[in-house]
Amino acid sequence: MAMAAAEARLRQEKVKKFEDFVDRRLKPDLVNAIAQRDNLFQQQKTFLDLKKNIENLEKNGVTSMRSMVNLGSEVYMQAEVPDTRHIFVDIGLGFHVEFTWQEALQFISVREARLAR
């Protein structure tokens, strides 16, 4: 009987160690992985939206446009874009590059492939 109690106590200690490992190591890793996945999905959506917008501009032959721009804190201002044939794309680390529509589409394709990996 004492041996069965000792085995049960040993099993309980092992279960406690596994639970502690899950709580201290695996759950934070899971939260981190989910945050990284959500960030990746957001980047993919942003590039997909940009690609669709460029294709719409090309298809409709839009060379100038008016738009409402968010200045921050939900304050908007009307903006006029006299030439839409060149756009600036955020390439990361706070850098923006001026592209033609075709160059931007090529960059987006490369970036989408990289994000998919």
Side-chain angles (χ1 to χ4, degrees):
M1 195 68 142
M3 189 170 223
E7 286 180 17
R9 192 178 71 242
L10 186 59
R11 236 182 273 124
Q12 286 289 345
E13 289 174 10
K14 284 184 180 182
V15 168
K16 174 98 173 93
K17 284 182 182 178
F18 284 125
E19 287 174 346
D20 288 344
F21 177 73
V22 167
D23 289 340
R24 280 186 283 129
R25 182 65 186 171
L26 296 181
K27 284 185 181 178
D29 285 351
L30 178 62
V31 168
N32 187 25
I34 290 172
Q36 288 177 354
R37 181 203 62 189
D38 291 346
N39 183 26
L40 178 70
F41 287 163
Q42 181 60 39
Q43 288 180 28
Q44 287 176 323
K45 182 185 179 316
T46 299
F47 281 111
L48 182 63
D49 290 345
L50 179 58
K51 183 178 180 178
K52 286 180 183 177
N53 287 336
I54 292 170
E55 289 170 348
N56 282 336
L57 289 173
E58 279 185 324
K59 184 175 92 176
N60 296 324
V62 176
T63 57
S64 65
M65 63 186 279
R66 295 186 99 161
S67 178
M68 296 297 284
V69 178
N70 187 350
L71 299 176
S73 300
E74 299 304 316
V75 175
Y76 291 86
M77 178 179 167
Q78 191 170 25
E80 184 172 334
V81 181
D83 183 11
T84 61
R85 292 174 296 186
H86 289 87
I87 61 171
F88 285 89
V89 178
D90 182 357
I91 61 167
L93 300 174
F95 292 99
H96 294 78
V97 174
E98 184 177 0
F99 287 125
T100 64
W101 290 341
Q102 289 304 313
E103 292 169 339
L105 289 173
Q106 289 173 347
F107 173 78
I108 291 168
S109 295
V110 169
R111 195 69 179 262
E112 285 177 329
R114 185 175 146 246
L115 289 172
R117 279 189 269 127

